[in-house]
Amino acid sequence: MKNRTALLNCLSPFLLLFALLANASDNPPQAAIATAHPLATQAGQEILNSGGNAFDAAVAVTAVLGVVEPYGSGLGGGGFWLLHRNADNFQVMVDGREKAPMAARRDMYLDDKGEVIPGASIDGPLAAGIPGVPAAMVHIAKKYGRLSLAKNLAPAIRLARDGFKVDKQYRRYAEMRLKTLQRFPETAKLFLHDNTVPPLGYRLKQEDLANTLESIAQHGESDFYRGALAKRLVDAVKKAGGIWSLDDLKNYRIVEREPVRTEYRGMKLISAALPSSGGITLASMLQMLQQYDLHKMSDTDRAHLIIEIMRRAYRDRAEYLGDSDFVDVPVARLTSTAYAKELVKGIQMDDAMPSAELRPVGKPGGAGTDTTHFSILDKEGNRVAATLSVNYLFGSCFVVPGTGFLLNDEMDDFSAKPGVANAYGLIGAEANAIEPGKRPLSSMSPTFLEDKRGIAIIGTPGGSRIISMVLLAALQYAEGADATSIVQLPRFHHQYMPDIVMFEDDAFSEKVEQDLALRGHVLKKQMSPYGGGFGHYGNMQGIVWDKHKNKVTAASDTRGIGAAVVFKQ
Ligand code: DON
């Protein structure tokens, strides 16, 4: 024993050096941030440069995105933050998803005849779930951050108070939602100018929002969920036809959940757990793809196969997936190799299988650049991938006077009626029916990829198409791609119903397009929602740390207006 201690003592300087070296090689040469808005990227960098870690930066970026992209996320919304702490390889998903109020009922969006009332789950406070963003920010800062909450919220407070310049993205989205924004006077006052879309460069100041953020900086979540602000929210929501109660706010809790993990040809994928459908659907698709060798395939065969596996995984999503706190979801089975082998049996390489021929369980949605995602890597190798949302553009378009933030319309992510499509054309069944206190099923899929080469941090908005975008990105990473080629990759998508392949203009060569049509696929080019021809969808923010090359790359999708930085922290 004595000898052993002596031996350890004399070895300890070497052991320490070894540990330091091992650790050093596990630290990236640079830090990186990619977000959907240059001001959010800047705020994240400011926090990392003033001693914060990736988790502090995530809080700062979350808050700033809510200020500068009010159409995409904010205090009135929710999200999923996937965290990786490098020192002990700890990974967790912070679930700040909205919850249905306790007065919610499964048929609350149906009329007397049992038909879905158009817009009822999208516009106005009846569409809003109980927000999770304030609670999640406080939790992440307290438990994982190094700086104070006030320090992390400072950039957002500053931008809300001093204002930011309205950009083309803001104008586009405000234009698309103009009628509903005009319907609510407080909303029109804050987010429009002279009751119309503010001009480019107009400085949008948000004094009320600055005050709300200030209150969170000083008192944490208490005022929002239990104090005067809670009372103000509930009173105004009720007055305008909503169903929130003080108890709903008081009882809201974020949940730390184990991420979904799967492995594809030596690459680990770590992604969002229920109530996001992302991780499970991705795992199911990768398990199916693993039964084939994509490298040995022609371009047409490869695209055909990926479409067929998307069809099958999205069908299971519709049938089985919902909030696991409420329904039993056979996660292990759905993500198992054995089940994947069963599913691929029906795939014919020369023929598309109509979705209607799968065991039974709509229409496509908007541009898919609202909602938001950001990716962060700090100098210690800590990572955050977060996808946040108020759901549809500008959420429910409803602002409680004096608070400064829009309430979400995440209730539309529930299945209002079995088989009837939501805003993203998604259908659902019993598992995703509305229940009091339940979280609506999401597609948001913040994801880490890990293999021998290194790691990637990815995610995107885009409603139902988030999951297929992340799948294509993961396959691209597996080919050795850097961040730019991952986020710029042309996209295609199939979600079981409607039975069509949506694709970006440059996703397929002319020959592949013809061949796919010959095999029976119905192909539909994504059209620009703004007119003027073909369109794009998604707004991916990606970081790749290539350990072989000792190089970090970061990229913000050029389909959006975001910014990525790689810098010495
Ligand atoms: O949670 C979800 O799946 C949706 N609320 C996300 C919405 C979205 O990505 C909108 N972007 N086009």
Side-chain angles (χ1 to χ4, degrees):
M1 187 65 182
K2 229 184 188 165
N3 284 347
R4 214 159 97 198
T5 317
L7 184 68
L8 273 179
N9 276 345
C10 95
L11 279 180
S12 68
F14 298 103
L15 288 176
L16 185 68
L17 185 69
F18 180 74
L20 280 175
L21 284 175
N23 203 22
S25 71
D26 211 30
N27 286 351
Q30 284 164 307
I33 304 177
T35 88
H37 200 288
L39 292 170
T41 303
Q42 224 174 308
Q45 195 171 2
E46 177 186 323
I47 293 296
L48 286 187
N49 281 338
S50 53
N53 59 17
F55 313 119
D56 292 301
V59 174
V61 169
T62 297
V64 169
L65 288 171
V67 176
V68 298
E69 286 192 315
Y71 46 78
S73 68
L75 294 180
F80 303 117
W81 293 255
L82 187 64
L83 313 182
H84 167 93
R85 189 171 58 203
N86 209 30
D88 56 357
N89 263 319
F90 171 76
Q91 297 181 326
V92 74
M93 180 184 93
V94 175
D95 168 5
R97 181 70 163 167
E98 299 89 337
K99 291 182 75 164
M102 291 312 282
R105 295 292 175 262
R106 59 183 294 136
D107 57 356
M108 63 188 277
Y109 300 117
L110 306 184
D111 64 16
D112 298 345
K113 296 194 193 95
E115 303 299 333
V116 174
I117 306 165
S121 60
I122 296 183
D123 305 329
L126 190 61
I130 305 301
V133 165
M137 287 195 311
V138 174
H139 176 80
I140 294 168
K142 248 196 212 157
K143 186 159 175 192
Y144 300 102
R146 204 166 277 158
L147 306 180
S148 69
L149 181 62
K151 180 122 194 174
N152 290 335
L153 295 184
I157 295 171
R158 199 173 62 222
L159 282 164
R161 196 149 276 145
D162 300 347
F164 73 98
K165 285 190 182 156
V166 165
D167 48 70
K168 62 177 199 270
Q169 185 109 308
Y170 184 100
R171 296 197 74 244
R172 261 184 207 155
Y173 291 157
E175 192 71 62
M176 286 170 77
R177 272 301 241 166
L178 186 58
K179 281 212 168 71
T180 321
L181 292 168
Q182 287 168 337
R183 223 175 89 190
F184 303 102
E186 180 75 7
T187 309
K189 188 178 94 189
L190 296 179
F191 297 106
L192 299 176
H193 177 61
D194 288 340
N195 212 31
T196 190
V197 179
L200 209 60
Y202 174 83
R203 191 165 278 279
L204 195 89
K205 295 186 181 175
Q206 302 176 75
E207 192 61 34
D208 288 345
L209 180 58
N211 293 337
T212 302
L213 284 164
E214 192 89 63
S215 139
I216 296 174
Q218 279 167 21
H219 312 294
E221 59 183 90
S222 61
D223 193 35
F224 191 99
Y225 292 97
R226 296 184 292 278
L229 179 53
K231 186 162 176 348
R232 188 193 276 255
L233 289 171
V234 169
D235 287 348
V237 162
K238 276 193 175 150
K239 209 171 132 201
I243 51 172
W244 287 16
S245 73
L246 285 174
D247 276 347
D248 287 327
L249 284 166
K250 195 172 85 196
N251 295 330
Y252 182 86
R253 296 283 180 278
I254 59 102
V255 186
E256 289 209 337
R257 298 189 195 271
E258 188 60 29
V260 170
R261 296 164 202 280
T262 197
E263 213 167 313
Y264 170 81
R265 296 181 179 269
M267 176 182 75
K268 287 189 189 130
L269 173 134
I270 300 108
S271 190
L274 290 170
S276 171
S277 57
I280 293 171
T281 309
L282 282 163
S284 155
M285 292 194 290
L286 288 172
Q287 287 305 319
M288 280 190 262
L289 282 177
Q290 194 145 244
Q291 307 309 314
Y292 301 82
D293 187 349
L294 292 179
H295 289 126
K296 293 205 174 121
M297 289 184 181
S298 69
D299 289 351
T300 306
D301 281 350
R302 192 171 186 271
H304 170 79
L305 178 66
I306 294 174
I307 293 164
E308 288 301 314
I309 65 104
M310 285 177 182
R311 180 198 310 281
R312 283 158 178 79
Y314 272 87
R315 192 213 78 90
D316 280 356
R317 178 196 191 280
E319 175 163 350
Y320 298 111
L321 304 192
D323 182 351
S324 50
D325 292 345
F326 283 73
V327 287
D328 281 329
V329 180
V331 179
R333 184 167 76 94
L334 292 175
T335 56
S336 70
T337 312
Y339 182 62
K341 283 185 176 159
E342 283 299 308
L343 282 180
V344 299
K345 273 186 191 156
I347 296 180
Q348 291 176 9
M349 285 311 290
D350 54 356
D351 215 0
M353 176 182 255
S355 290
E357 285 178 23
L358 290 177
R359 199 156 50 81
V361 194
K363 43 188 185 184
T369 45
D370 49 327
T371 299
T372 197
H373 177 87
F374 65 82
S375 296
I376 300 178
L377 173 71
D378 73 14
K379 67 175 179 191
E380 292 159 42
N382 299 313
R383 315 170 209 154
V384 179
T387 313
L388 320 172
S389 186
V390 284
N391 194 28
Y392 203 59
L393 289 167
F394 290 90
S396 66
C397 289
F398 182 78
V399 179
V400 170
T403 63
F405 60 88
L406 289 148
L407 300 189
N408 68 84
D409 55 358
E410 221 77 62
M411 292 293 284
D412 188 65
D413 279 347
F414 279 119
S415 170
K417 183 182 171 181
V420 176
N422 76 353
Y424 305 104
L426 287 167
I427 56 168
E430 202 47 43
N432 191 30
I434 304 174
E435 287 182 64
K438 190 176 176 183
R439 287 161 147 94
L441 187 63
S442 172
S443 301
M444 295 188 287
S445 311
T447 297
F448 300 144
L449 304 168
E450 300 173 351
D451 65 2
K452 274 203 225 116
R453 175 166 73 103
I455 59 113
I457 310 170
I458 53 172
T460 177
S464 55
R465 287 172 286 186
I466 291 172
I467 310 171
S468 60
M469 284 187 260
V470 172
L471 174 75
L472 297 177
L475 294 175
Q476 185 75 353
Y477 173 80
E479 294 301 315
D482 68 1
T484 304
S485 92
I486 287 175
V487 309
Q488 293 307 107
L489 191 69
R491 296 161 179 157
F492 59 95
H493 171 78
H494 194 295
Q495 62 179 47
Y496 167 61
M497 294 286 183
D499 192 350
I500 53 172
V501 181
M502 283 176 238
F503 66 106
E504 291 185 324
D505 190 27
D506 34 6
F508 304 129
S509 68
E510 215 167 290
K511 169 153 174 32
V512 170
E513 201 179 324
Q514 280 166 3
D515 288 351
L516 287 173
L518 282 175
R519 289 184 196 189
H521 293 286
V522 180
L523 293 133
K524 207 171 161 198
K525 241 177 217 176
Q526 167 76 29
M527 299 304 284
S528 166
Y530 321 114
F534 301 123
H536 296 282
Y537 62 89
N539 192 9
M540 189 168 282
Q541 312 297 323
I543 294 174
V544 171
W545 169 19
D546 190 320
K547 295 183 184 177
H548 287 167
K549 294 186 184 147
N550 193 32
K551 189 171 176 196
V552 175
T553 55
S556 179
D557 207 323
T558 53
R559 295 164 181 88
I561 57 157
V565 284
V566 176
F567 62 103
K568 193 86 202 152
Q569 185 190 345

